[in-house]
Amino acid sequence: MLGLTSDINWETLSKHLIDSENNIVEVRQLVRYHAKQLSMGIIDQTRITTAVSELLRNMYNYGGGGEVLIEKGIVDDKISLIITCTDHGSGIEDLELAMSDGYTSGNGMGYGLPGAKRLVDRFEIKSELNMGTIVRVMKWK
Amino acid sequence: MSKEYNIDKIAERINRIEDVLASVAAGDLDARINAEAEDDLSGIEAAIDLLIDDLTDELKQREKMQKEVEDKLSKIQEQQKTILQQQADLLELSSPVSKVWDNVLILPVIGTLDSQRTQVMMENLLEKIVETGCTISILDITGVPTVDTQVANHLLKTVTSARLLGAECIISGISPAIAQTIVHLGIDLSTIKTKATLQDAMIFAMKQNKRSENVKLQSLFTSSDEKEE
Ligand SMILES: Nc1ncnc2c1ncn2[C@@H]1O[C@H](COP(=O)(O)OP(=O)(O)OP(=O)(O)O)[C@@H](O)[C@H]1O
Ligand SMILES: [Mg+2]
């Protein structure tokens, strides 16, 4: 998608469909596994796993489910784990608002998106009303 | 060299071939011609027998495979049933609230806290608080691998509900990695009493217990003092 960092040399580790809470748990476990494979420490493993958990939950709650792509590659000379969450839901009307601490349109805490951003090394989001949302997060090794 | 052909004999053998083929067609795979003579026709007869042999093998193989597939399918269906049952059991099992000490309840949480489980867990805890009148409950999350905003939200709600029922809720077992992650998420857990380990939480609970007992004793003494005066 236009505007997101990407590289044809990235290696796809796995792809998943998210359409239930069980999927969320499975994919989360896989992200932790891949982080471990990249020999990330327990803190970084927990950070990337939690960040992805937020994205998956949003995708499930607001985007009607979607797809997750887990990749490994070099970003800015650093080996990274790259996770991309794509949904074709309602999209986010006001990105700035959605990214601010404490904003929720439902009955969450409103810390998912801004929190996920703080937990990763790079956070990219694109959203189009009635088209969907795509979020790409990266964690350096 | 010319051979003497007995027309009747040949007609009989052709009839036999027809019979065998009909039997096979009807499903009798044991039927064979079993030619005795050695002549031009016996080649054909032997070939037909071989063909039936092959056909039989093929059919048997296919039957075996079909049976295997059916067996596997029923096994999978059985496993699926077991898994569903176990999931239901686990939902109950995973929220065992027990009174470990006078006035103290413990709820060890293990695994993933999805909304359904959290609901069951919260209900169990609140029910038990009412039932036992305990004023301290410990929620141990050592076994929870990921605490995201949803889980944190559920925990906060559980603590608040317990408070409304007059019970203080201590959360124990937050690992350093999870503690850091919660801070980065931006979630404020400062209104909740947290302890690093279950042991710490239990020591805290016991001290709290003693203090409230002392207060009770003291008030008992002062009231009897008052009576004497
Ligand atoms: N994939 C998405 N599609 C549509 N809207 C979204 C999506 N992700 C987030 N949003 C919107 O952005 C808001 C903020 O998201 P955020 O994850 O920060 O908070 P939340 O999900 O409401 O609560 P929390 O994540 O703290 O439980 C959401 O309430 C929702 O309105
Ligand atoms: Mg969220």
Side-chain angles (χ1 to χ4, degrees), chain B:
Chain B
M1 270 233 270
S2 75
K3 267 187 203 160
E4 279 284 325
Y5 283 112
N6 180 337
I7 295 294
D8 285 345
K9 190 89 186 144
I10 295 217
E12 199 179 292
R13 282 169 70 186
I14 289 178
N15 275 340
R16 165 108 187 110
I17 292 175
E18 268 177 29
D19 284 350
V20 167
L21 286 178
S23 302
V24 170
D28 176 13
L29 294 172
D30 292 329
R32 295 289 185 281
I33 301 165
N34 290 328
E36 280 156 18
E38 284 271 345
D39 55 22
D40 293 345
L41 197 55
S42 70
I44 295 173
E45 288 166 335
I48 289 175
D49 276 352
L50 272 177
L51 222 82
I52 300 173
D53 284 346
D54 283 354
L55 191 71
T56 312
D57 282 352
E58 192 90 7
L59 276 173
K60 277 193 184 141
Q61 196 88 15
R62 207 183 292 173
E63 261 170 34
K64 206 175 126 204
M65 249 157 64
Q66 188 155 359
K67 177 123 180 35
E68 272 173 15
V69 169
E70 272 165 13
D71 282 355
K72 266 188 198 148
L73 205 72
S74 72
K75 219 180 249 172
I76 289 172
Q77 277 166 344
E78 205 128 298
Q79 278 171 346
Q80 221 161 18
K81 240 193 255 164
T82 318
I83 289 171
L84 282 178
Q85 183 55 46
Q86 280 172 342
Q87 261 174 355
D89 290 349
L90 214 66
L91 211 57
E92 288 290 314
L93 261 179
S94 56
S95 27
V97 186
S98 38
K99 187 170 169 180
V100 283
W101 200 268
D102 197 24
N103 203 28
V104 183
L105 289 177
I106 289 193
L107 169 56
V109 191
I110 292 164
T112 311
L113 275 178
D114 58 28
S115 350
Q116 203 191 355
R117 267 195 66 191
T118 317
Q119 194 61 31
V120 173
M121 182 194 88
M122 190 151 101
E123 276 164 18
N124 278 1
L125 180 65
L126 299 181
E127 253 168 44
K128 206 77 174 191
I129 287 175
V130 174
E131 191 185 302
T132 59
C134 287
T135 61
I136 303 172
S137 51
I138 302 171
L139 238 155
D140 184 67
I141 61 165
T142 310
V144 178
T146 309
V147 176
D148 56 15
T149 53
Q150 183 174 306
V151 172
N153 202 3
H154 285 320
L155 289 177
L156 280 166
K157 280 184 180 151
T158 307
V159 172
T160 312
S161 309
R163 222 170 252 165
L164 282 175
L165 293 176
E168 164 138 49
C169 202
I170 306 160
I171 296 191
S172 67
I174 300 181
S175 70
I178 288 185
Q180 273 206 28
T181 306
I182 290 175
V183 171
H184 274 89
L185 276 175
I187 299 165
D188 182 14
L189 288 188
S190 65
T191 56
I192 300 184
K193 183 106 229 147
T194 53
K195 291 284 168 195
T197 64
L198 180 57
Q199 194 182 349
D200 291 344
M202 285 185 70
I203 291 171
F204 175 85
M206 285 176 207
K207 277 187 188 155
Q208 199 88 335
N209 243 354
K210 219 173 241 168
R211 196 174 311 148
S212 61
E213 255 165 45
N214 282 344
V215 172
K216 257 190 243 160
L217 279 178
Q218 248 166 18
S219 65
L220 220 72
F221 280 131
T222 42
S223 55
S224 50
D225 283 353
E226 271 165 11
K227 261 182 220 159
E228 269 172 32
E229 265 176 19

Side-chain angles (χ1 to χ4, degrees), chain A residues 14-34 48-70 83 85-87, chain B residues 87 111-116 145-151 154:
Chain A
S14 56
K15 269 184 196 178
H16 310 271
L17 222 65
I18 297 293
D19 56 10
S20 78
E21 257 193 323
N22 282 346
N23 293 151
I24 295 182
V25 177
E26 274 165 36
V27 173
R28 215 162 60 184
Q29 281 169 351
L30 252 167
V31 169
R32 189 181 285 276
Y33 168 81
H34 288 306
I48 185 71
T49 308
T50 310
V52 172
S53 180
E54 295 299 341
L55 303 181
L56 300 184
R57 285 201 193 285
N58 282 349
M59 199 155 87
Y60 179 65
N61 290 334
Y62 310 111
E67 302 111 53
V68 189
L69 176 65
I70 305 178
I83 290 125
C85 302
T86 312
D87 69 59
Chain B
Q87 261 174 355
T112 311
L113 275 178
D114 58 28
S115 350
Q116 203 191 355
T146 309
V147 176
D148 56 15
T149 53
Q150 183 174 306
V151 172
H154 285 320

Side-chain angles (χ1 to χ4, degrees), chain A residues 77-118:
Chain A
D77 298 330
K78 282 168 289 238
I79 297 175
S80 357
L81 194 59
I82 305 137
I83 290 125
T84 310
C85 302
T86 312
D87 69 59
H88 306 283
S90 61
I92 301 173
E93 191 164 9
D94 187 342
L95 257 188
E96 206 177 318
L97 185 62
M99 287 302 299
S100 61
D101 279 323
Y103 171 76
T104 176
S105 64
N107 48 10
M109 302 190 81
Y111 283 99
L113 284 179
K117 185 175 181 176
R118 284 187 288 264

